[in-house]
Amino acid sequence: MNVVLRHKGALWGFRTTLLLYVFLLIVLPIGGIYVQSFAGGWAHFTESLAEPLAWQSVALTFRLALIATAINVALGTMSAWVLHRYRFFGRAWLNSLVDLPFALPTAVGGLMILLLLGPGSITGGLAEMLGIRIVFAEPAIVAAMVFVTFPFVIRAVQPLLEEADRAEEEASYTLGASRVRTFMQVLLPQMRPGIISGAMLAFSRAMAEFGAVVLVAGNIPGKTLIASVYIFGEIESDNPQGAAVVSVMLLSMSFVVLWFVSVLQARRSQL
Amino acid sequence: MTDPFSTISSYNDASRYASARGSRTPPGSVPGARQKQSIILIVLTYLIFFALLIAPLLQMIAGAFEHGLHSFISALTRPAAIHAMAMTGAVVVIVTAINTIFGILTALVLVRGEWLGTKLRHVLNSLIDLPFAVSPIIGGFMIVLLLGPNTIMGAMFAWAGIDIVYAFPGMVLATLFVTFPLMVREVVPVLQEIGTQQEEAASMLGSYDWTTFWRVTWPSIRWGVLYGVVLTIARSLGEFGAVLVVSGNIMNKTQTATTLVYQDVENFNIAAASSVALVLALISVVLLLVMEWAKKHKEHKAHQAHNGQKGVH
């Protein structure tokens, strides 16, 4: 009897500890930020939001993340396709290399972009000659976002390609469809769910990125100041209210995207 | 499943399978025009990978050795760098240990915890992914908001003589928040795949306890756990935004390797920044190789379990 009781007590303690851990580590902090953003009341919230630099930074982040996602969709779909279909020298190596941006510290990624595209480098010098500013301007921010989110689309499309039925593609050729038509009507629909969910994950990550971007952006308010760097600046200048409002905007957008991806995935697994 | 990485791990099985069967399109069978096109595509892919991944890596190696080997070594052996790397090491060890234990336990509860009820398990399941959606900067900011010196809880801890924000505990907390989903998301699919038959068989003879866990569950999940450990190490080694906000980046005190790189760049000391960054990059590459290795074993295990199930039916 005593043993059973002690066992039950231990079990109860273990369960409580676990739920408490999840609550304290995740729920409480996220809830806290929403509370803080409305701490000064609704009027204060809209006031902080109306701050031109605040919404400009969010708009800029949104636009650049969209561009980076579009680039990644194009590059990622093609890379996934080539890595799947062709067997060539170094294929396995390239396939392992895809995950490098996930493994690399983001600050290191930012430094790499800075070194590669900075004024001292070949690329940067060339662009300078042509009168194009890369580093401390929008192109570098997009480059950093593309670098950090590169694996998402590839890793989401690859399993679909592995599952796909090759016969459909061959039937399309047999029926006399052109290569372009086969790609548009047979292959693209096969890859579409992966492209969409990969793109959304990449987008939400690009919106949130800080480490890689802060080093290359130059952080000029209203011009190259993205949302996460804006938040950092507000924290540093001891304005938690302003930081919280922009955080809540960013967070809510990411939650919507993440929720959408999970709905998409749930629907796919039901089919 | 609301898991951004589930697609990534599920890809691995299929790819192994495909490569085990050998190439689907032998290069020789491709007709001339298509072969030309395929070569163009392959070259393009190489170019993308070179421009995006390889060139930046090479450029950084060049940057680290710009002023020769001597400056590389002296950049790494300055006191600030040694302190920062020790700090990073301490964070990595503590975070990996805590996250591994709680990650495995959470995964067990998610998959096996009937006591929680279906609804609560769904809630818990979606809560786990939230850190993926949170910008690291915001992750750090949340901890400052909750435990900073101006808050009730922060004041309480300060009164007890414990500093959390701008000190080591805060950095550990921030990194724990960011890495929380990694272990859970690696272990959950394995637990789902192996099913409960073996565990039930073992539990019939007694109850589900440590022996059942170590003898039955652990051997099936250990490669998944190893993979999760490597992911956690990589992420906590490289965490920057959250740690920057929480630590205050105080030199020789709360500065980590990544925030040191940031400060060096801000001080226009690019060569020193590259040296530290190169060390971090090398560790990441090693971790990537371990991941590839663990992936192979994990799939092997998953495949065995899968085939075993097929045999039963």
Side-chain angles (χ1 to χ4, degrees), chain A residues 72 95-107 109 145-156 158 198 201-202 205-206 209, chain B residues 4-9 53 132 182 186 227 230-239 280 284-285 287-288 291 295:
Chain A
N72 260 333
N95 200 9
S96 309
L97 206 62
V98 170
D99 287 324
L100 186 70
F102 279 159
L104 219 54
T106 51
M145 285 176 172
V146 169
F147 176 83
V148 171
T149 58
F150 183 63
F152 281 110
V153 175
I154 298 185
R155 288 307 189 221
Q158 269 174 332
L201 291 175
R205 178 71 205 268
E209 186 47 41
Chain B
F5 289 97
S6 70
T7 46
I8 293 163
S9 28
L53 305 174
F132 279 144
L182 297 173
E186 283 307 317
Y227 200 76
V230 179
L231 283 178
T232 309
I233 294 176
R235 189 66 212 264
S236 47
L237 181 82
E239 187 41 49
L280 286 172
S284 306
V285 170
L287 289 173
L288 201 63
M291 270 195 255
K295 225 192 260 177

Side-chain angles (χ1 to χ4, degrees), chain A residues 1-141:
Chain A
M1 188 62 198
N2 204 8
V3 175
V4 174
L5 272 182
R6 210 188 314 151
H7 183 69
K8 276 206 164 159
L11 201 64
W12 189 84
F14 152 72
R15 289 170 176 178
T16 315
T17 313
L18 192 72
L19 291 183
L20 208 62
Y21 181 80
V22 174
F23 178 78
L24 289 180
L25 192 68
I26 294 174
V27 182
L28 190 65
I30 294 180
I33 215 156
Y34 276 86
V35 170
Q36 169 73 33
S37 74
F38 290 106
W42 181 252
H44 215 90
F45 180 85
T46 46
E47 196 180 294
S48 295
L49 203 61
E51 172 76 35
L53 291 181
W55 63 257
Q56 273 169 10
S57 73
V58 175
L60 179 76
T61 314
F62 190 82
R63 185 163 57 85
L64 296 183
L66 221 53
I67 297 172
T69 309
I71 294 174
N72 260 333
V73 164
L75 298 185
T77 310
M78 199 200 101
S79 306
W81 166 252
V82 170
L83 285 174
H84 165 73
R85 177 51 58 86
Y86 303 114
R87 296 291 176 272
F88 54 91
F89 175 75
R91 176 182 163 276
W93 275 96
L94 290 191
N95 200 9
S96 309
L97 206 62
V98 170
D99 287 324
L100 186 70
F102 279 159
L104 219 54
T106 51
V108 175
L111 178 61
M112 282 178 168
I113 307 270
L114 183 66
L115 287 171
L116 189 71
L117 303 177
S121 70
I122 305 166
T123 339
L126 218 70
E128 201 96 316
M129 254 168 49
L130 295 171
I132 308 166
R133 195 90 195 267
I134 299 183
V135 167
F136 310 134
E138 288 180 8
I141 303 177

